[in-house]
């Protein structure tokens, strides 16, 4: 399979290297250049030493908002450049500035808010992906992310959101498209996230669904919210066509990324 591979010797559930992914013109993403990940709050000293010494990690780009960063701060390892580049604001995510003392209850409340809107979770997530295109702040921040990748003259960039599925998933989608990876492989890489987060999601869903009205429905909505679905990425692509007419226009007009920058991106990341 032509997709990102789990970094097995690092104890994070969804940390993957993009190295080795082939493009349509038979080039490959270079080793130790691009890593997608969940947040680094649960990374150990050993994990970070491995990433720093074996994967030449030099830059971490945090795609979360300020509240997420505060509640689960990244392990900041000496010698690694840490950059905050939030894709979604607190308002986008329906969050407040108050610190959530019970994160489990916070997730339970979120699932129930979606259920109370007669939504199985798929409408909420599809709309979130459309907002990645509709919202000027989101577009600005994805553009900033891509331009940060252009500044990577040495070592690897690790980029992450909370669990590495939506914001990091779209960041990966954009990078792989610009590097000329086949669309089928891009979708396969996106959907492979579910295999990495499945066990932890199942465990969490069982805990959250306890004492809930219709626990099976609760779990179904939970999985739709906390896994990825092909229809979510389709919604993102549909919104691009609706707003920009083509992906090329989206890159040029929306993300303000020109042909010279695309060539430079390929020069940095492809062999």
């Amino acid at each position: 399979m032509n997709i990102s591979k789990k970094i097995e010797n690092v104890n994070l559930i969804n940390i993957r290297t993009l190295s080795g992914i082939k493009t349509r013109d038979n080039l490959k993403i270079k080793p130790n250049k691009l890593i997608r990940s969940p947040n680094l709050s649960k990374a150990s000293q050993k994990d970070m030493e491995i990433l720093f010494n074996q994967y030449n990690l030099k830059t971490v780009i945090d795609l979360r908002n300020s509240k997420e960063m505060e509640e689960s701060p990244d392990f900041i390892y000496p010698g690694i450049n840490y950059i905050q580049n939030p894709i979604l604001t607190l308002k986008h995510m329906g969050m407040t500035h108050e610190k959530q003392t019970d994160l489990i209850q916070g997730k339970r409340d979120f699932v129930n808010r979606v259920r109370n809107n007669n939504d199985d979770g798929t409408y909420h997530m599809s709309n979130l992906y459309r907002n990645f295109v509709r919202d000027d702040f989101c577009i600005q921040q994805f553009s900033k992310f891509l331009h940060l990748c252009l500044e990577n003259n040495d070592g690897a960039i690790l980029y992450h959101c909370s669990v590495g599925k939506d914001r990091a998933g779209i960041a990966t989608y954009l990078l792989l498209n610009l590097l000329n990876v086949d669309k089928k492989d891009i979708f396969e890489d996106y959907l492979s996230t579910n295999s990495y987060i499945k066990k932890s999601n199942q465990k969490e869903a069982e805990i959250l669904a306890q004492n809930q009205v219709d626990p099976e429905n609760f779990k179904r909505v939970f999985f739709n919210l906390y896994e990825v679905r092909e229809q979510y990425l389709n919604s993102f692509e549909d919104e691009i066509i609706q707003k920009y007419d083509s992906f090329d226009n989206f890159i040029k007009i929306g993300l303000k990324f020109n042909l010279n920058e695309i060539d430079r991106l390929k020069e940095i990341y492809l062999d």
Side-chain angles (χ1 to χ4, degrees), residues 71-88:
E71 291 179 344
S72 300
D74 274 358
F75 186 123
I76 307 301
Y77 190 77
I80 294 176
N81 183 29
Y82 174 72
I83 301 171
Q84 297 180 354
N85 186 51
I87 300 297
L88 297 168

Side-chain angles (χ1 to χ4, degrees), residues 130 134 235 237-246:
R130 289 185 179 277
R134 291 175 184 150
S235 295
E237 290 192 327
D238 289 347
E239 195 65 30
I240 287 173
I241 300 304
Q242 286 188 31
K243 186 171 181 179
Y244 294 97
D245 292 326
S246 71

Side-chain angles (χ1 to χ4, degrees), residues 183-201:
K183 182 175 176 178
K184 176 181 68 68
D185 295 327
I186 294 173
F187 267 73
E188 187 174 1
D189 183 73
Y190 169 79
L191 292 170
S192 71
T193 294
N194 287 337
S195 64
Y196 295 110
I197 63 177
K198 180 179 180 180
K199 187 179 292 186
S200 62
N201 269 355

Side-chain angles (χ1 to χ4, degrees), residues 2-263:
N2 190 35
I3 60 175
S4 55
K5 305 296 190 299
K6 176 76 165 64
I7 299 178
E8 297 292 350
N9 51 352
V10 172
N11 192 31
L12 293 170
I13 62 169
N14 187 29
I15 183 165
R16 295 181 265 164
T17 174
L18 276 62
S19 66
I21 294 179
K22 292 180 182 178
T23 67
R24 290 186 179 96
D25 40 2
N26 277 328
L27 297 174
K28 290 183 180 180
I29 297 179
K30 295 175 183 177
N32 302 341
K33 296 301 286 185
L34 292 169
I35 299 169
R36 56 178 297 176
S37 171
N39 75 77
L40 301 178
S41 63
K42 295 181 180 178
S44 67
Q45 177 81 17
K46 182 180 178 182
D47 291 333
M48 297 308 295
E49 287 175 355
I50 289 170
L51 290 170
F52 185 73
N53 295 317
Q54 296 183 23
Y55 291 86
N56 201 22
L57 178 59
K58 295 294 179 67
T59 302
V60 168
I61 303 176
D62 192 338
L63 305 177
R64 299 175 298 165
N65 64 45
S66 58
K67 184 177 180 183
E68 293 172 293
M69 294 174 192
E70 178 188 353
E71 291 179 344
S72 300
D74 274 358
F75 186 123
I76 307 301
Y77 190 77
I80 294 176
N81 183 29
Y82 174 72
I83 301 171
Q84 297 180 354
N85 186 51
I87 300 297
L88 297 168
T89 64
L90 273 64
K91 183 179 179 181
H92 288 134
M93 300 181 73
M95 301 171 80
T96 64
H97 286 280
E98 290 82 22
K99 187 174 178 64
Q100 175 61 256
T101 55
D102 186 345
L103 296 178
I104 291 294
Q105 186 58 44
K107 275 193 175 181
R108 184 180 288 122
D109 291 345
F110 171 54
V111 174
N112 280 322
R113 281 199 305 273
V114 172
R115 294 172 80 199
N116 290 340
N117 288 330
N118 294 317
D119 179 8
D120 68 355
T122 57
Y123 174 81
H124 176 93
M125 293 304 297
S126 294
N127 194 53
L128 175 69
Y129 276 66
R130 289 185 179 277
N131 279 337
F132 285 147
V133 181
R134 291 175 184 150
D135 190 273
D136 290 341
F137 178 81
C138 295
I139 292 295
Q140 169 192 309
Q141 294 303 99
F142 276 123
S143 175
K144 182 180 174 183
F145 166 75
L146 292 173
H147 285 94
L148 286 169
C149 290
L150 279 181
E151 297 172 12
N152 180 29
N153 295 315
D154 178 45
I157 284 178
L158 181 153
Y159 56 93
H160 73 81
C161 48
S162 180
V163 296
K165 71 181 186 76
D166 300 314
R167 289 162 287 185
I170 291 298
T172 304
Y173 170 96
L174 294 173
L175 280 172
L176 295 181
N177 263 291
L178 291 174
L179 293 173
N180 198 31
V181 174
D182 189 83
K183 182 175 176 178
K184 176 181 68 68
D185 295 327
I186 294 173
F187 267 73
E188 187 174 1
D189 183 73
Y190 169 79
L191 292 170
S192 71
T193 294
N194 287 337
S195 64
Y196 295 110
I197 63 177
K198 180 179 180 180
K199 187 179 292 186
S200 62
N201 269 355
Q202 287 177 334
K203 182 178 179 180
E204 190 169 31
E206 291 298 331
I207 294 170
L208 292 172
Q210 290 176 8
N211 302 319
Q212 297 299 296
V213 175
D214 194 350
E216 290 306 310
N217 174 266
F218 181 97
K219 286 188 280 188
R220 183 165 61 253
V221 175
F222 172 87
F223 288 129
N224 284 335
L225 292 170
Y226 288 97
E227 293 181 342
V228 294
R229 301 283 183 261
E230 185 172 348
Q231 78 178 78
Y232 304 161
L233 202 49
N234 285 334
S235 295
F236 177 74
E237 290 192 327
D238 289 347
E239 195 65 30
I240 287 173
I241 300 304
Q242 286 188 31
K243 186 171 181 179
Y244 294 97
D245 292 326
S246 71
F247 183 77
D248 287 345
N249 284 343
F250 173 60
I251 294 300
K252 181 172 62 175
I253 300 169
L255 297 176
K256 297 178 171 58
F257 210 74
N258 62 44
L259 291 176
N260 288 335
E261 288 171 323
I262 293 173
D263 288 340

